[in-house]
Amino acid sequence: MTQPKAISQIVDNANENIVLSTLKRELSQLAVQQKISKTGLTFLTKLQKPDFNTDIALSTITWI
């Protein structure tokens, strides 16, 4: 079995946002294929919830 890309990115010290994006995409693909556990689905749901504090901070930095 091959290692998920998100794990490889962690090993390679990739940017946290890139790793999270890859992780969401890979978990979403598993969910669509119905190959995800209940725990994995709960984790994906938590990852997809908006974090308004972070989102506002990032958008503020973008506009400065």
Side-chain angles (χ1 to χ4, degrees):
M1 187 169 123
T2 61
Q3 182 168 286
K5 186 173 182 178
I7 302 300
S8 298
Q9 290 174 333
I10 292 171
V11 171
D12 294 339
N13 295 318
N15 180 294
E16 179 182 341
N17 291 323
I18 293 171
V19 174
L20 284 173
S21 174
T22 303
L23 185 58
K24 287 178 194 177
R25 185 175 59 252
E26 289 177 344
L27 288 174
S28 294
Q29 288 173 351
L30 289 174
V32 168
Q33 297 169 1
Q34 296 182 349
K35 295 182 178 180
I36 193 168
S37 68
K38 185 175 180 179
T39 305
L41 191 56
T42 301
F43 182 60
L44 175 60
T45 302
K46 184 176 180 181
L47 284 176
Q48 291 180 328
K49 283 188 179 178
D51 180 358
F52 294 109
N53 292 328
T54 301
D55 294 343
I56 290 171
L58 290 174
S59 66
T60 301
I61 292 170
T62 303
W63 290 101
I64 293 180

